[in-house]
Amino acid sequence: MATINSTNFGSDTLEIIAFRLHDQEFCVKTTTIREIRGWAPCTPIPHAPADVIGVMNLRGSVIPIIDLAYKLGMKSTVANERSAIVVAEVHNMVIGMLVDRVSDILTIPANQVQPVPEVSASFDKSFSEGIIANENGMICFLNLAKMFKGNEIEDLAA
């Protein structure tokens, strides 16, 4: 199995934040993350897309809160006291992503990221940068810029 060329990531190591959705581990680059907040109820928006739970006030700015599990095609996350909101900046817009819990912040060698295997011709692997195999299992490395198209985020903020 080929590994992804580390030049795709711009350095020899990657700083990632890992989090859980149901029983699966996912991660994103820390450079996209602004902060991690504990769960707080948000205000629903009528006729919002199905993956948008609502909005919350983040120090005077209203940001959309996304059910990341639902966005990834999983069953919706039911928020509880262990849930977290990972606040990220994507396409110059700030969004919050509901996760079951944040597990770790790691520095890994860039060559540890392996390509996502081909599942079928109709399988869309664009949401993922690759898979990281470590001693605790597999972590799916998400690409937030591809998950949230620029116009999609603008629509959320409007």
Side-chain angles (χ1 to χ4, degrees):
M1 179 181 277
T3 58
I4 294 176
N5 185 335
S6 63
T7 56
N8 292 347
F9 296 105
S11 72
D12 293 335
T13 61
L14 292 170
E15 298 256 332
I16 59 171
I17 181 169
F19 50 86
R20 293 193 76 76
L21 294 172
H22 304 299
D23 291 330
Q24 295 181 23
E25 196 90 15
F26 294 89
C27 70
V28 295
K29 291 180 195 172
T30 57
T31 54
T32 61
I33 304 304
R34 282 214 171 159
E35 67 182 89
I36 300 164
R37 302 176 56 91
W39 168 249
C42 52
T43 304
I45 304 172
H47 304 289
D51 61 337
V52 178
I53 300 167
V55 294
M56 75 181 301
N57 183 344
L58 182 67
R59 287 184 294 289
S61 295
V62 176
I63 65 167
I65 305 300
I66 309 298
D67 181 344
L68 192 56
Y70 188 88
K71 177 82 175 168
L72 293 171
M74 303 164 78
K75 69 178 177 138
S76 289
T77 297
V78 177
N80 61 45
E81 67 280 349
R82 295 185 70 192
S83 299
I85 296 175
V86 177
V87 180
E89 187 169 337
V90 185
H91 302 297
N92 297 317
M93 298 292 300
V94 179
I95 61 169
M97 300 176 294
L98 175 63
V99 301
D100 289 338
R101 73 177 196 277
V102 173
S103 358
D104 219 342
I105 296 174
L106 306 165
T107 301
I108 61 159
N111 64 6
Q112 196 174 339
V113 180
Q114 299 181 22
V116 176
E118 293 292 334
V119 176
S120 72
S122 63
F123 173 60
D124 180 9
K125 61 182 185 177
S126 66
F127 283 7
S128 180
E129 293 273 357
I131 303 293
I132 300 166
N134 68 14
E135 64 277 357
N136 299 326
M138 307 281 260
I139 304 172
C140 182
F141 193 164
L142 298 176
N143 182 324
L144 295 180
K146 289 182 180 172
M147 283 178 63
F148 299 100
K149 307 290 186 233
N151 58 345
E152 180 183 9
I153 291 183
E154 288 169 16
D155 291 347
L156 296 176

